[in-house]
Amino acid sequence: MASPSETDEQRFSHHFRYILGNMAAGGIAGSSVETALFPLDTIKTRLQRMLQETFVLPRRQPQRSLWG
């Protein structure tokens, strides 16, 4: 006789653990990226602001609309 198949409850439990594992992995990956890149982005933004204050950059002329 063949072995009994999984019950619906066991299948649900397996899928639920799979989904939770993927959610946890995604959360950890997202948090790691933000933790690593946030300081670099802050430094870049501050450098850009310092350069903008140091050198007077010419302002762009506003674009005219085709319809206006």
Side-chain angles (χ1 to χ4, degrees):
M1 188 169 207
S3 63
S5 63
E6 289 183 318
T7 64
D8 287 339
E9 186 176 314
Q10 288 172 332
R11 273 184 281 208
F12 176 77
S13 175
H14 175 72
H15 290 299
F16 187 70
R17 281 185 281 137
Y18 177 77
I19 290 170
L20 279 181
N22 284 338
M23 287 176 61
I28 291 169
S31 298
S32 300
V33 167
E34 283 299 315
T35 301
L37 295 182
F38 181 77
L40 297 175
D41 190 42
T42 303
I43 291 168
K44 177 191 69 116
T45 303
R46 289 183 182 175
L47 285 173
Q48 287 174 337
R49 185 66 182 161
M50 283 176 22
L51 285 173
Q52 196 175 39
E53 290 173 355
T54 304
F55 302 106
V56 179
L57 300 175
R59 294 181 182 248
R60 288 185 183 176
Q61 294 296 324
Q63 297 286 333
R64 285 195 220 170
S65 171
L66 292 174
W67 309 106

